[in-house]
Amino acid sequence: MFLPFFYELRRRGVKVGAQEALALAGALRAGLHDSGLDGFYHVARALLVHSETQLDTFDQAFLAHFKGVETAGLELTQELLSWLEEARERRDLSPEELALLEQLDPEEIRRMLEERLREQKERHDGGNRWVGTGGTSPFGNGGFAREGIRVGGKGGRQGMALMQAGARRYAGYRDDLVLDTRQMAVALRKLRAFARDGSPDELDVDESIAATARNAGELEVVTRPPRRPNTRVVLAMDVGGSMDPYAAVMSRLFSAASHATHFKELRIFYFHNCVYGKLYATPQLTGGMTVPELTAQVGRHHKLVMVGDASMAPYELSIRTDAEGHYKADGLEGLTWLMQLAQHFERNVWLNPEPMGTWRTGTISVIARVFPMFPLTVEGLGEAVTHLTRGRTVKGVAARR
Amino acid sequence: MTPVPTPVRFKGTDSYLTNEGLQAAVNCALTLQRPLLVKGEPGTGKTLLAEAIAQSLGHRLLTWHVKSTTRAQDGLYVYDTVQRLYDSRFGDGDVRDIRRYIRQGPLGEAFSAPERVVLLIDEVDKADLEFPNDLLHELDRMRFRVTETGDEVVAKHRPVVVITSNNEKELPDAFLRRCVFHFIDFPDADLMRRIVAVHHPGLDGTLAEQALKVFYELRNFTRLRKRPSTSELIDWIAVLKSQGVTDVKLDESLPFLGALLKKEQDLVSVAEAFGRGRRPRA
Ligand SMILES: Nc1ncnc2c1ncn2[C@@H]1O[C@H](COP(=O)(O)OP(=O)(O)OP(=O)(O)O)[C@@H](O)[C@H]1O
Ligand SMILES: [Mg+2]
């Protein structure tokens, strides 16, 4: 019963592992689920899910897996429990074993379990249609009937959990959907880093003591600059016509970024489809500065975040302009300007609101070879931020996804 | 890893109302002796939960308010070197006794308490990203060493740890895996009715219903920057009561809206939408 439910969760992206399984087994053993499916729903949710973004997936998996059970009134098997019980009796799992289990893929675990349970077939009571998928599983109803999940045990309240799971109340918290401002702010906050900078007006206690000691006990006060945010970001957003449908998400990104107090410096620029020598200060494409000016002013440690759909007519990537954005036969191609940016900034990403399925063709695929590209979703932004804080792209050779 | 069956099950208190999901999470945390991580919109009773758990178990509550500058070390102990330096120059105390300058943090206090306590680590997401990871070690082992004195502080009783987060930052995976998780849903009208009743016993039924109706109407009004929460509703009703207001509806005459909406701009939006442009009395 449980293992297939675990696979269902894992298949849907909730990475439950041995640690979660052990916790669940412990809670069931203590009877916290009150032998009911409703109780099981709440206990399992508290122990298997670690973030509200997974609640909807959990509900869906629960629904898919336990639907129909409420009318069955069966004692459900607990093969997982019994297996884990044995694992526990073998003096618990070592951290290494736990880690290993964590990494095993569901199929592998299933195979192991099937083997293990075949060995103890005598305990198998057979015929339980809720065991395994498609009724083929040999998993037995081993010895834990006392604590088995009894459905419909408590008068009148059957199926509450299923109703609750079916309400999809947590769909709005999924993190694979497009972002809202708060989620963006949360994601951007991960970019923050600190450094000691500015005038030394904070007492450095440790140094003061050391200095005082060196000074034969004569008090010597040492000060240092306070810890300040040290992340500098250049954000460039595409305001081309094809970006119109994404205006709302762009403005949310803008507001999240501009309200972020944890950046030492944030410069916001605009461009239309592709960069032609110049990045503009306003969405109306006025003001701003040229790429050579920007790269001269701004160090390579600034983090460059490009946002756009990277979708345009192919020739638009090869339009040649000078740094002011005027057509020039001996100017640089749009793509070259982009590459200059990618080369200057050691850490750069391109966020794309278009679904990832469309990235393999057209101008998107070309630009994705210049900038590491991430979808403009909670997940994508999170990955982009991780990339910006960790990944150092080899100059000129963009990381590929 | 052996679960200790908890004789007492948490079911909320007279003044703290819960549902099955929250109770299950609390009881899992108690039984498995894992920290309980609660998230949820502001005002959904995250902070109050720890108090309710302490009250219902008859334990003392220790609170650690986390700020952006808080380090994990602060929870264990701080060595007040400045005081010691000061005393060495001007004081009369025995500066050789370093223990006089070691002050326990909330975690240290919880460990050395003679009885089991409830430790609330409030708003864990305020601190640096690494903060939760730094805590893991001590929370797992329930002991730490004071390097200055060599003393080992070992928990006599594993405290019940409740951690709240407002989701300003994501928490590290390793940390999440060790916690029992619960996301407090925003109360539905039914639960809210009971919460209101707890805070305002004997409140006139009609006023209560009208206030709830206005409250949910406002929450569903998408142009708000900050939606009113439970605590604002409770405050608002308190004001209505004290001013002898007997009925409310969502129009230009809506009284004391300022108690519900805290942002100037939201007051303006509501005035535009419901008050034909006229500003409600705030
Ligand atoms: N379940 C509840 N039962 C009774 N009162 C509640 C409940 N939930 C919230 N309240 C009321 O709402 C107020 C706010 O609760 P609390 O401060 O615990 O919220 P919070 O989630 O910690 O908010 P924040 O995120 O702003 O810190 C409480 O003081 C209480 O009056
Ligand atoms: Mg709080």
Side-chain angles (χ1 to χ4, degrees):
Chain A
M1 191 70 233
F2 293 102
L3 279 178
F5 180 51
F6 272 46
Y7 304 145
E8 185 78 42
L9 283 169
R10 291 188 62 104
R11 197 173 59 74
R12 291 170 187 257
V14 181
K15 295 283 172 246
V16 289
Q19 213 169 356
E20 284 81 3
L22 282 170
L24 183 59
L28 297 179
R29 216 163 68 118
L32 291 182
H33 60 306
D34 289 328
S35 302
L37 189 62
D38 289 353
F40 175 74
Y41 169 79
H42 293 299
V43 168
R45 196 176 65 168
L47 297 173
L48 305 184
V49 166
H50 301 298
S51 155
E52 66 276 20
T53 57
Q54 299 173 335
L55 287 172
D56 186 51
T57 311
F58 178 86
D59 276 357
Q60 285 190 300
F62 187 85
L63 205 61
H65 196 74
F66 289 92
K67 202 160 198 168
V69 171
E70 78 269 32
T71 54
L74 298 169
E75 292 253 320
L76 302 175
T77 53
Q78 299 207 6
E79 81 282 3
L80 168 69
L81 197 53
S82 50
W83 177 72
L84 284 167
E85 199 63 32
E86 282 168 27
R88 199 204 318 278
E89 253 130 50
R90 293 192 326 250
R91 295 243 40 83
D92 215 326
L93 298 175
S94 68
E96 293 73 34
E97 282 180 277
L98 275 174
L100 185 74
L101 262 166
E102 207 91 89
Q103 272 147 31
L104 284 178
D105 72 312
E107 275 315 308
E108 183 94 338
I109 297 183
R110 178 203 294 270
R111 202 181 42 70
M112 272 172 51
L113 265 152
E114 284 184 348
E115 258 167 38
R116 191 180 299 275
L117 284 154
R118 244 193 302 276
E119 287 161 15
Q120 32 168 279
K121 210 159 190 177
E122 61 277 14
R123 281 206 266 148
H124 176 46
D125 71 348
N128 188 329
R129 70 186 175 102
W130 300 110
V131 174
T133 44
T136 54
S137 164
F139 294 171
N141 188 351
F144 286 87
R146 187 171 54 80
E147 283 148 359
I149 292 182
R150 204 173 302 105
V151 181
K154 288 185 175 174
R157 300 200 44 261
Q158 298 100 304
M160 285 285 282
L162 286 161
M163 251 172 65
Q164 187 163 350
R168 307 270 333 245
R169 283 186 301 159
Y170 303 102
Y173 296 104
R174 295 186 71 96
D175 63 1
D176 45 6
L177 300 177
V178 167
L179 295 147
D180 68 32
T181 314
R182 188 192 58 77
Q183 292 168 319
M184 289 190 190
V186 169
L188 289 176
R189 208 171 269 257
K190 283 201 284 188
L191 269 180
R192 89 177 168 176
F194 292 97
R196 296 199 176 276
D197 193 15
S199 64
D201 47 12
E202 185 184 282
L203 177 67
D204 184 340
V205 172
D206 293 338
E207 227 1 86
S208 297
I209 296 166
T212 303
R214 280 197 301 272
N215 223 2
E218 201 58 31
L219 190 56
E220 169 100 34
V221 171
V222 180
T223 58
R224 62 183 172 191
R227 246 160 64 97
R228 290 226 173 81
N230 190 37
T231 308
R232 304 158 198 252
V233 175
V234 176
L235 174 66
M237 303 196 275
D238 182 358
V239 287
S242 62
M243 283 297 287
D244 284 353
Y246 305 114
V249 72
M250 297 289 277
S251 87
R252 274 177 276 167
L253 179 63
F254 172 83
S255 86
S258 51
H259 285 106
T261 51
H262 48 280
F263 294 145
K264 174 156 188 186
E265 189 185 342
L266 170 69
R267 297 183 182 222
I268 297 181
F269 294 104
Y270 299 88
F271 60 94
H272 189 157
N273 284 355
C274 182
V275 175
Y276 299 108
K278 197 163 178 186
L279 287 162
Y280 298 92
T282 70
Q284 293 74 39
L285 306 184
T286 59
M289 61 176 70
T290 66
V291 171
E293 279 166 355
L294 179 71
T295 52
Q297 268 185 28
V298 167
R300 17 184 26 100
H301 295 307
H302 277 62
K303 302 188 190 307
L304 175 67
V305 180
M306 305 287 292
V307 192
D309 58 5
S311 306
M312 60 202 94
Y315 74 87
E316 290 181 70
L317 282 180
S318 45
I319 292 176
R320 289 175 183 272
T321 66
D322 63 15
E324 285 300 326
H326 302 305
Y327 296 104
K328 276 267 161 59
D330 60 348
L332 298 179
E333 294 183 355
L335 189 62
T336 311
W337 289 118
L338 290 179
M339 285 160 106
Q340 285 201 349
L341 285 171
Q343 269 168 27
H344 177 74
F345 294 99
E346 268 174 3
R347 283 133 202 241
N348 56 66
V349 293
W350 186 291
L351 296 171
N352 197 329
E354 289 281 335
M356 277 178 88
T358 63
W359 292 6
R360 244 165 297 133
T361 52
T363 49
I364 299 192
S365 67
V366 179
I367 290 177
R369 260 176 266 133
V370 180
F371 295 97
M373 195 173 279
F374 299 87
L376 191 48
T377 59
V378 182
E379 248 181 331
L381 188 56
E383 283 171 28
V385 166
T386 307
H387 178 82
L388 284 173
T389 44
R390 299 233 184 82
R392 185 182 295 256
T393 38
V394 182
K395 271 176 244 104
V397 191
R400 233 146 297 173
R401 283 167 44 85
Chain B
M1 205 42 90
T2 356
V4 187
T6 11
V8 257
R9 288 269 195 107
F10 175 75
K11 299 227 177 269
T13 66
D14 290 346
S15 57
Y16 189 84
L17 304 170
T18 56
N19 55 22
E20 272 192 307
L22 179 55
Q23 287 169 22
V26 172
N27 288 319
C28 282
L30 292 175
T31 303
L32 303 174
Q33 309 206 351
R34 292 191 178 201
L36 171 66
L37 171 66
V38 271
K39 288 206 218 166
E41 260 189 57
T44 42
K46 299 185 291 295
T47 304
L48 207 59
L49 172 66
E51 214 170 285
I53 296 176
Q55 196 192 334
S56 84
L57 300 181
H59 295 334
R60 192 153 62 95
L61 173 69
L62 295 174
T63 303
W64 183 10
H65 283 295
V66 176
K67 292 181 293 190
S68 64
T69 50
T70 304
R71 298 164 313 146
Q73 174 66 37
D74 304 338
L76 308 179
Y77 66 92
V78 278
Y79 169 33
D80 195 346
T81 35
V82 175
Q83 183 67 41
R84 192 165 180 226
L85 265 179
Y86 179 89
D87 284 359
S88 72
R89 299 279 297 173
F90 316 108
D92 41 329
D94 181 6
V95 287
R96 277 170 310 177
D97 183 5
I98 201 167
R99 285 185 180 79
R100 290 187 35 182
Y101 301 95
I102 301 284
R103 313 216 188 297
Q104 273 186 341
L107 204 57
E109 220 181 303
F111 284 5
S112 32
E115 76 290 340
R116 186 182 307 287
V117 297
V118 176
L119 173 66
L120 166 65
I121 306 180
D122 209 11
E123 312 198 346
V124 71
D125 52 324
K126 287 276 182 301
D128 212 61
L129 284 170
E130 284 309 316
F131 175 80
N133 277 341
D134 293 347
L135 274 184
L136 274 184
H137 190 63
E138 278 73 22
L139 283 180
D140 268 357
R141 296 186 56 232
M142 287 286 155
R143 62 171 67 208
F144 63 88
R145 188 177 290 280
V146 180
T147 36
E148 283 79 0
T149 62
D151 293 350
E152 171 114 299
V153 179
V154 185
K156 298 192 180 61
H157 302 276
R158 212 170 234 277
V160 178
V161 180
V162 180
I163 302 169
T164 77
S165 163
N166 272 334
N167 229 351
E168 281 202 13
K169 255 183 245 96
E170 271 172 49
L171 301 168
D173 269 352
F175 178 80
L176 290 173
R177 280 192 183 278
R178 281 179 177 73
C179 293
V180 176
F181 173 74
H182 186 73
F183 183 79
I184 305 192
D185 295 319
F186 195 83
D188 59 12
D190 201 46
L191 178 58
M192 192 60 95
R193 195 170 291 122
R194 287 161 53 215
I195 293 179
V196 168
V198 161
H199 289 270
H200 299 290
L203 178 71
D204 174 62
T206 333
L207 180 60
E209 284 312 308
Q210 289 180 349
L212 276 174
K213 184 160 179 287
V214 169
F215 177 73
Y216 282 103
E217 275 167 0
L218 280 176
R219 278 189 56 88
N220 288 331
F221 178 51
T222 49
R223 276 163 55 199
L224 291 187
R225 296 189 146 203
K226 187 180 178 304
R227 299 199 287 176
S229 71
T230 313
S231 36
E232 274 114 32
L233 173 64
I234 287 162
D235 292 350
W236 184 51
I237 294 179
V239 181
L240 294 178
K241 271 206 319 196
S242 74
Q243 298 300 312
V245 179
T246 50
D247 63 343
V248 286
K249 60 176 186 300
L250 190 51
D251 62 12
E252 71 267 30
S253 67
L254 194 63
F256 308 109
L257 193 53
L260 276 179
L261 302 178
K262 297 293 160 65
K263 293 216 185 276
E264 183 65 26
Q265 206 174 344
D266 287 345
L267 289 168
V268 175
S269 317
V270 167
E272 278 168 12
F274 302 103
R276 294 180 222 99
R278 276 203 285 142
R279 179 68 186 277
R281 285 182 283 141

